[in-house]
Amino acid sequence: MNKHLEQLIEISNLDKDIDALEPKIELKRSELDKTIRSKESKNLQSLQLEEEKKDLKLQVSRNDQTLKDINAKLENIHKKISEVRSERELKALNVEEEIAKEQCTQANIEIERLDKELDHKTDLQKSLQSDINELDKIIKSLEGKVNEEIQIIKDEQQKIFSQKQKLIVKMDQKLIGFYEKVRKWAKNSSVVPVRKQACGGCFIRINDRVYTEIIQSNDIITCPHCGRILYIEETK
Ligand SMILES: [Zn+2]
């Protein structure tokens, strides 16, 4: 095979190796990101509960006020009863008293219900807080570990990159320029094998004339359909 082509294949393999490490970095980060997001979501839930508790407390204080009003009303009724003059008047006051007492009972039931709900929300917050503390610990330990692991992958990338640089200086600079241009759009399929007389990048069949040229010529041949650099895989 053409020596230039061999070097190009090697370069493109090195580029593939460098790129293949990217998802590994992403994966390491995603583990940490997921934990951070989970903590943020729990924080948000806790804040939401705090808002709901504020609303409940407001409702409790409204009911407290209602109770005070009813008690004042009851006192007033009792005073009137002590001064009552007729049976009819007494009956009317008794009815009024019953209604006020019933309102009192209702307000108390409501306060009890609200208090229970408040307790429940406080319990939920406590459980969230303990989750958050747990996640905090995980995040702290992950941060160090993830950064270390990412550095290892980046070092590996750097190693391949310098290997590529060493090769590049020995190569035909025009050819490298051409390869980089193709790589801009074809990424890791810039240099592809011909399989079953079809381009390994766009998979369109190559006509006999170009096919013969690829096999025989000592030049760098590109796919007439997509422009990728082609080579014939050597059968072992
Ligand atoms: Zn093609």
Side-chain angles (χ1 to χ4, degrees):
M1 195 191 283
N2 174 331
K3 186 172 159 270
H4 291 299
L5 194 52
E6 261 173 26
Q7 289 172 324
L8 265 193
I9 294 168
E10 206 179 335
I11 287 281
S12 95
N13 283 335
L14 290 173
D15 275 337
K16 271 183 222 171
D17 289 345
I18 293 170
D19 284 357
L21 291 172
E22 277 308 316
K24 282 192 183 173
I25 293 175
E26 288 303 309
L27 196 72
K28 295 283 172 208
R29 272 206 191 110
S30 79
E31 200 183 340
L32 176 61
D33 285 349
K34 214 172 85 191
T35 318
I36 291 171
R37 272 201 303 275
S38 166
K39 181 193 155 189
E40 278 168 356
S41 143
K42 281 180 195 293
N43 261 330
L44 223 63
Q45 285 174 48
S46 185
L47 283 175
Q48 177 70 34
L49 284 169
E50 199 53 47
E51 282 303 306
E52 288 166 15
K53 276 167 75 178
K54 258 188 216 162
D55 187 53
L56 288 172
K57 281 175 191 161
L58 197 69
Q59 289 182 53
V60 169
S61 74
R62 270 190 206 130
N63 277 285
D64 279 339
Q65 187 56 47
T66 305
L67 274 181
K68 268 185 207 153
D69 293 347
I70 296 169
N71 280 328
K73 198 173 169 187
L74 274 171
E75 254 176 59
N76 196 28
I77 292 169
H78 290 152
K79 200 176 150 218
K80 277 186 191 163
I81 286 175
S82 69
E83 295 162 354
V84 77
R85 297 224 175 131
S86 73
E87 191 70 15
R88 215 174 126 233
E89 213 183 325
L90 182 63
K91 257 188 190 166
L93 284 169
N94 278 337
V95 168
E96 237 184 283
E97 189 188 14
E98 279 313 306
I99 292 170
K101 277 182 177 166
E102 178 56 27
Q103 285 172 337
C104 197
T105 307
Q106 286 309 322
N108 275 318
I109 289 171
E110 183 62 4
I111 289 171
E112 204 180 318
R113 186 187 71 80
L114 292 166
D115 278 342
K116 262 190 197 152
E117 218 175 309
L118 270 167
D119 284 348
H120 176 60
K121 289 193 192 292
T122 305
D123 285 346
L124 285 177
Q125 277 183 315
K126 274 183 196 155
S127 140
L128 278 170
Q129 193 50 52
S130 103
D131 288 352
I132 289 167
N133 293 343
E134 214 37 56
L135 286 169
D136 255 341
K137 275 187 212 155
I138 296 172
I139 288 168
K140 271 207 188 105
S141 79
L142 266 182
E143 264 169 347
K145 193 177 129 235
V146 165
N147 286 338
E148 246 170 64
E149 285 171 347
I150 286 178
Q151 197 47 52
I152 290 170
I153 300 171
K154 285 195 166 166
D155 288 347
E156 213 177 315
Q157 273 184 326
Q158 190 51 46
K159 235 167 43 195
I160 304 169
F161 187 73
S162 39
Q163 218 178 317
K164 180 187 163 188
Q165 289 311 112
K166 261 185 218 158
L167 196 62
I168 280 180
V169 290
K170 286 190 278 180
M171 285 175 68
D172 175 41
Q173 292 312 298
K174 247 197 209 158
L175 186 60
I176 274 296
F178 177 65
Y179 164 74
E180 293 295 351
K181 226 154 109 192
V182 176
R183 197 176 144 72
K184 260 185 197 153
W185 59 270
K187 311 286 176 211
N188 280 329
S189 70
S190 302
V191 185
V192 290
V194 179
R195 281 178 187 147
K196 291 180 182 164
Q197 209 178 320
C199 162
C202 69
F203 306 111
I204 298 176
R205 196 177 181 278
I206 291 153
N207 68 40
D208 293 343
R209 188 185 54 77
V210 178
Y211 189 55
T212 316
E213 210 180 330
I214 301 165
I215 294 170
Q216 293 173 350
S217 153
N218 219 23
D219 281 341
I220 300 293
I221 311 278
T222 56
C223 169
H225 309 288
C226 68
R228 287 181 175 89
I229 299 159
L230 298 172
Y231 67 92
I232 303 287
E233 269 178 312
E234 278 174 4
T235 45
K236 282 164 198 169

